[in-house]
């Protein structure tokens, strides 16, 4: 897979760089996309999200949910029940990440397969050399 050079000028390069930096700024860290994926099946409460994600601490989860809310990916809904019920759900705008998530998932599967295959090949070569 070669790098595409068509229309590759300093201006287009800077525009691409800035766009990628903007996207990474919004989706930075290891938790934002997993949180969005976790909420794709519908609204969840804080503890449900934490259980579905795994190793995330409550402090980090709270921060990440606030960031996602500020960037219009998540809505926080408060219900006046006793005790108060709070749920988090994806906004319509979060659907704009579906292609990104699909591509990352596909690439991740390919990459994992490549590494596993490479390890098997390496182990076979080591056994042959020994």
């Amino acid at each position: 897979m070669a790098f595409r050079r068509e229309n590759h000028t300093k201006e287009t390069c800077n525009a691409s760089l800035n766009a990628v930096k903007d996207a990474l700024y919004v989706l930075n860290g290891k938790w934002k996309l997993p949180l969005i994926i976790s909420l794709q099946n519908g609204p969840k409460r804080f503890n449900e999200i934490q259980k579905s994600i795994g190793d995330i601490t409550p402090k980090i989860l709270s921060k990440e949910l606030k960031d996602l809310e500020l960037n219009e990916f998540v809505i926080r809904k408060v219900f006046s029940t006793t005790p108060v019920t709070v749920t988090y759900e994806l906004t319509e705008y979060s659907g704009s990440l579906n292609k990104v998530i699909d591509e990352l998932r596909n690439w991740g599967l390919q990459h994992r397969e490549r590494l596993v295959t490479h390890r098997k090949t390496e182990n076979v070569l080591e056994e042959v050399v020994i």
Side-chain angles (χ1 to χ4, degrees):
M1 185 184 307
F3 178 73
R4 293 179 295 178
R5 290 201 178 267
E6 69 264 3
N7 300 325
H8 188 71
T9 65
K10 185 176 180 179
E11 292 78 21
T12 59
C13 183
N14 285 337
S16 290
L17 183 61
N18 288 334
V20 169
K21 285 164 82 175
D22 289 345
L24 290 176
Y25 178 78
V26 171
L27 300 171
N28 70 335
K30 67 180 188 177
W31 299 115
K32 298 263 184 353
L33 290 174
L35 281 169
I36 289 170
I37 293 167
S38 170
L39 290 169
Q40 284 181 332
N41 290 330
K44 289 184 181 171
R45 295 177 70 175
F46 188 90
N47 287 337
E48 292 173 316
I49 297 169
Q50 188 177 9
K51 285 177 187 171
S52 71
I53 297 291
D55 297 331
I56 191 168
T57 65
K59 182 178 178 180
I60 297 297
L61 177 55
S62 179
K63 178 199 167 299
E64 296 294 304
L65 286 169
K66 284 177 187 172
D67 286 351
L68 288 171
E69 191 176 5
L70 285 171
N71 286 292
E72 301 179 1
F73 292 114
V74 170
I75 295 174
R76 181 178 185 263
K77 291 188 176 179
V78 181
F79 299 93
S80 58
T81 57
T82 307
V84 173
T85 303
V86 178
T87 63
Y88 298 87
E89 66 182 85
L90 295 178
T91 63
E92 193 173 317
Y93 179 62
S94 69
S96 65
L97 292 172
N98 288 344
K99 286 182 184 177
V100 173
I101 291 169
D102 288 344
E103 287 299 321
L104 280 171
R105 180 185 304 114
N106 292 338
W107 184 86
L109 290 169
Q110 275 182 318
H111 182 65
R112 180 179 298 267
E113 185 178 318
R114 177 187 172 102
L115 292 179
V116 168
T117 302
H118 183 72
R119 281 189 207 126
K120 286 180 184 174
T121 304
E122 234 176 48
N123 290 341
V124 169
L125 289 175
E126 286 176 9
E127 290 173 10
V128 170
V129 172
I130 295 176

